[in-house]
Amino acid sequence: MRYLLSLLLAAVAFVAQAQPQRVDNVEVELVAAANAVVPGQPLDVALRIKHDPHWHTYWINPGDSGLATQLTWQLLAGWSAGPIEWPAPERLPVGPLMNFGYEDELLLPVRLTPPASLTAGDMAFIAARADWLMCKDVCIPGSAELKLQLPIKAQAEPSQWAAAFARTRALIPQPATLAQAQAAIEGNRIRLAFASSGAAPKSLEFFPFKEGQIEPAAPQPLRGEDGKSALYLTATQPVAADFTQLRGVLVADGGPAAADRGGWAATIEVPLAAGTVPVVAAAPATAAATAPAPSSITWLAALAGALLGGLILNLMPCVFPVLSLKLLGLMQHQRADDAARRAHVPLAAHGAAFTVGVVLSFLLLAGALLALRAGGAQLGWGFQLQTPWVVAALLLLFFLIGLNLLGTFEFAFGGGVASSAAAQRLQSDKVSGSFWTGVLAVIVAAPCTAPLMGAALGFAMTQSTAVALSVFAALGLGMALPYLLLTLFPALLARLPRPGVWMERFKQVMAYPMFATCVWLAWVLAQQVGVDGLGLLLGALVLTGLAAWAFGLAQRGGRRWRWVAAVAAVGAVYTVFQTTTAGEPPVATAAAKGDWQPWSPATVEAARAAGRPVFVDFTAAWCVTCQANKRLVLTAESVQRAFADKGVLLMRADWTNRDPQITAALAEHGRNGVPLYVLHDARGGATVLPEILTTGLVLEALGKL
């Protein structure tokens, strides 16, 4: 009697667990396609997931983020379980990321095979543990112990879930029979071409089975070429050596849910070979390609952020030395008497020319970025200082400007090799001088990502060309606005001190911000070409100084010194060339110093899976804001102690040299430049901190872990 009572209680408990379970924002249960188990005959069972509105779980490949749903069966001896048969997934955009998964109600079927030795009249008890990750604005891991009780019979009838199983079966992709299917890869570009047996698809989406092969959020343009359908994909960089087959699911024209309109889904496995793949921009051939990248900010907000960011750029130490040149010009303009001043170009023209130079330069940089992006290149804001020869050229230019301010020589047309036309225009009283000052200011300002700029630029680089250019133009207008206002309202110049000997002294003092900028650029170059390259650069500076000094003597009547200046200038150019081509970057970068480790996505995911939070510093040697944050905040004792107390893994993503993987990571967070600070918690969440850090902001974020 006691045995029967225990068995009855166990059966009641089992039946209770077999009911649907509510876990946070989903309802889950095990369901069967038949109302009984037939000994030895396969039985279709499924995990049923009913999501709350706007919540989703993930496919076998979750895309940019997420975890696939898993089933762990707890079966009696003699039973066997097949794999989950995944319906075709949906594309689920989350900010700049693209995930693959499901919303609404879902069945994940699995075929179970019971032993033939089962006895009709008994009960079959089926149990499994389900684990999933459900996401909306936040992600929450979920799990449940699920059970299903069915009678054992000689014959079975369809259950109440049979129709749902039939609908799900229609959504499960079957192996495709694509005629003349070929897949080629060149760089990070992939072309899949095949001949359709029926009407060519109007839209096509590819979902790779394996993570880390295809960029989930990249557009997938579809083209009709030579009687074939050609789908263009973007490979994840670096391309893995074992990526030799294109395996995944193709979803055409809305998928099987739109079968009445020709939609279908199929699995493919096509060999991937090296070949020629043209650059194809996204076009209205596919819905995925035409949909604008989602963003957390609007166009007007991006314009406002860019305008304010441009204003703040004027306060950055990399910009002030250039603007100080025009400040000197304004003071010299004030020295002229009324008659002479009338002969000068109006101040408003200088302001307009400076503004045109700034805005036009920003538009040209934006155009270069957009053109390279269309060609498949992974570049970001400040990319010009990822090129050593550009850094070296800017360093020499600033060094020459500094020597000129000290009076070592004078810029003059036709003066010889040491006469830099670009630098001469910077100090001339002509409108062109103001224009070229604006150009140079943009070149050195671009590496500085001012507050509010990051999100605005990230938004711009995911939009159409017209929208992107408008944001960059607003950025340029913001940077030029203070100087423009100063020239439009000359009364403000009256507040400047009266001319005198102090102006010459001030001119000489202004040489030292130039030299300070040279120190910064030399440090940047050292990160790119190493100590040996830095030594060559210092030699080039010695030769440049000799050339400037000799040229100054020649200007003062010592004509024979012209040859010394010419030879020294040629030597300086040759040495700079050797610096930027022969130097090797240092083996141990700043990313690996102290408690910081070099960043890698795999390490981040491994740490989070182990329950350890991660702080990632996306930085670059040429980013002044990054260096200020690092020295003033990230190395502060209170911050370091908080990192240690919370067990935070510190990682540094060094973008000093071009790194497509870091560029892609920046884009995932809606950014196109550094600095970027991301605090990953152990629950799957990520907090993006502002570009300008304070110890309070960092400690507050750590306190929420």
Side-chain angles (χ1 to χ4, degrees):
M1 183 68 180
R2 183 178 299 174
Y3 173 76
L4 292 176
L5 181 60
S6 299
L7 187 62
L8 180 60
L9 291 174
V12 170
F14 195 96
V15 171
Q17 288 181 299
Q19 300 304 312
Q21 294 188 39
R22 180 76 183 176
V23 183
D24 291 320
N25 301 96
V26 298
E27 180 182 280
V28 295
E29 64 177 320
L30 287 180
V31 297
N35 66 352
V37 175
V38 178
Q41 291 189 10
L43 172 70
D44 287 335
V45 177
L47 171 65
R48 172 180 169 267
I49 305 178
K50 185 177 181 180
H51 305 84
D52 284 357
H54 309 300
W55 286 82
H56 62 266
T57 54
Y58 294 92
W59 185 55
I60 186 173
N61 173 4
D64 274 318
S65 63
L67 292 171
T69 300
Q70 297 181 346
L71 277 172
T72 305
W73 293 98
Q74 301 158 11
L75 302 173
L76 297 175
W79 287 74
S80 62
I84 294 176
E85 300 181 65
W86 299 90
E90 307 171 42
R91 294 172 72 87
L92 303 170
V94 181
L97 307 182
M98 184 64 70
N99 296 334
F100 307 147
Y102 310 96
E103 294 182 330
D104 302 323
E105 188 171 0
L106 165 73
L107 294 187
L108 294 179
V110 173
R111 180 152 291 179
L112 302 182
T113 303
S117 59
L118 294 180
T119 302
D122 289 346
M123 297 298 292
F125 299 97
I126 302 169
R129 174 187 170 89
D131 293 276
W132 63 86
L133 182 67
M134 49 193 157
C135 297
K136 186 184 176 185
D137 298 323
V138 297
C139 290
I140 305 172
S143 64
E145 297 289 344
L146 304 173
K147 294 181 172 24
L148 177 64
Q149 179 183 4
L150 292 173
I152 301 173
K153 296 182 178 181
Q155 289 187 336
E157 301 294 333
S159 73
Q160 61 174 321
W161 298 103
F165 272 87
R167 290 192 298 270
T168 298
R169 286 286 175 199
L171 300 178
I172 296 174
Q174 301 301 314
T177 54
L178 300 179
Q180 305 175 40
Q182 293 180 324
I185 183 170
E186 180 182 6
N188 70 332
R189 302 187 303 279
I190 295 176
R191 177 181 182 267
L192 170 65
F194 61 92
S196 302
S197 56
K202 298 180 178 63
S203 70
L204 200 62
E205 296 172 307
F206 178 70
F207 299 86
F209 284 140
K210 187 175 180 180
E211 297 181 58
Q213 292 184 340
I214 302 296
E215 287 292 344
Q220 298 184 359
L222 175 65
R223 296 285 184 272
E225 299 174 353
D226 301 325
K228 291 185 177 182
S229 296
L231 183 67
Y232 289 85
L233 309 170
T234 303
T236 300
Q237 294 292 316
V239 178
D242 61 350
F243 187 20
T244 58
Q245 287 188 321
L246 200 61
R247 298 179 62 252
V249 173
L250 281 178
V251 177
D253 297 329
D260 57 331
R261 299 189 297 275
W264 52 268
T267 61
I268 65 166
E269 187 170 328
V270 181
L272 183 61
T276 301
V277 179
V279 176
V280 175
T286 164
T290 58
S295 177
S296 58
I297 62 174
T298 65
W299 177 56
L300 291 177
L303 288 179
L307 186 69
L308 291 175
L311 282 168
I312 298 173
L313 273 179
N314 291 286
L315 304 178
M316 295 295 175
C318 46
V319 182
F320 173 73
V322 178
L323 298 183
S324 65
L325 293 177
K326 293 314 297 178
L327 180 61
L328 284 172
L330 290 176
M331 291 180 175
Q332 292 168 355
H333 201 283
Q334 282 295 93
R335 285 189 303 181
D337 57 23
D338 292 341
R341 191 174 299 149
R342 285 194 296 269
H344 287 184
V345 177
L347 280 175
H350 282 281
F354 177 79
T355 302
V356 170
V358 170
V359 174
L360 182 60
S361 298
F362 271 112
L363 291 177
L364 289 175
L365 277 174
L369 275 172
L370 293 169
L372 290 168
R373 183 191 67 179
Q378 294 284 335
L379 293 176
W381 191 240
F383 72 94
Q384 69 275 17
L385 290 193
Q386 292 175 329
T387 305
W389 71 262
V390 174
V391 178
L394 284 173
L395 195 156
L396 291 185
L397 176 61
F398 276 84
F399 187 58
L400 284 171
I401 292 174
L403 293 177
N404 173 250
L405 291 171
L406 288 176
T408 306
F409 70 102
E410 297 294 333
F411 287 117
F413 283 110
V417 176
S419 176
S420 167
Q424 176 190 2
R425 292 187 180 112
L426 291 174
Q427 289 185 285
S428 71
D429 194 41
K430 297 180 179 179
V431 172
S432 61
S434 296
F435 174 84
W436 289 109
T437 301
V439 172
L440 182 59
V442 171
I443 293 174
V444 298
C448 302
T449 302
L452 305 177
M453 272 180 58
L457 293 179
F459 169 87
M461 294 308 295
T462 63
Q463 302 301 308
S464 65
T465 300
V467 172
L469 291 179
S470 69
V471 174
F472 279 88
L475 179 61
L477 180 61
M479 182 178 173
L481 196 56
Y483 186 82
L484 179 63
L485 292 176
L486 195 62
T487 56
L488 287 177
F489 300 96
L492 296 175
L493 294 175
R495 298 181 180 273
L496 296 175
R498 295 183 61 82
V501 177
W502 70 270
M503 292 188 65
E504 184 64 25
R505 299 291 179 262
F506 181 75
K507 175 183 176 182
Q508 295 169 353
V509 168
M510 283 296 99
Y512 293 93
M514 302 295 166
F515 294 145
T517 305
C518 291
V519 173
W520 165 59
L521 290 170
W523 180 74
V524 170
L525 193 64
Q527 312 302 309
Q528 298 172 324
V529 299
V531 176
D532 292 342
L534 180 61
L536 288 171
L537 174 70
L538 295 176
L541 287 179
V542 171
L543 290 172
T544 302
L546 174 61
W549 174 72
F551 183 69
L553 292 177
Q555 287 181 318
R556 297 179 181 90
R559 302 190 61 181
R560 63 182 181 276
W561 290 99
R562 289 182 301 175
W563 297 105
V564 176
V567 172
V570 171
V573 171
Y574 176 79
T575 306
V576 167
F577 177 77
Q578 295 299 313
T579 298
T580 58
T581 57
E584 293 292 336
V587 175
T589 66
K593 292 180 180 178
D595 296 329
W596 295 81
Q597 297 183 19
W599 169 85
S600 76
T603 306
V604 172
E605 292 304 319
R608 294 172 66 184
R612 186 178 183 185
V614 183
F615 182 85
V616 184
D617 171 15
F618 290 88
T619 185
W622 37 260
C623 170
V624 177
T625 307
C626 303
Q627 304 311 317
N629 286 335
K630 181 166 63 176
R631 284 162 174 74
L632 298 177
V633 178
L634 296 181
T635 58
E637 183 178 351
S638 59
V639 172
Q640 288 292 311
R641 185 167 55 251
F643 280 140
D645 292 343
K646 295 290 186 178
V648 178
L649 176 63
L650 302 177
M651 307 199 76
R652 186 158 281 147
D654 192 341
W655 205 42
T656 300
N657 293 311
R658 193 169 300 166
D659 188 324
Q661 197 172 30
I662 294 178
T663 307
L666 292 170
E668 289 177 4
H669 294 284
R671 297 293 177 84
N672 196 250
V674 290
L676 172 67
Y677 305 100
V678 183
L679 179 60
H680 300 274
D681 60 35
R683 301 181 297 276
T687 301
V688 176
L689 277 66
E691 290 97 333
I692 300 293
L693 293 181
T694 65
T695 55
L697 284 171
V698 178
L699 293 176
E700 180 183 357
L702 292 173
K704 296 178 181 178
L705 291 178

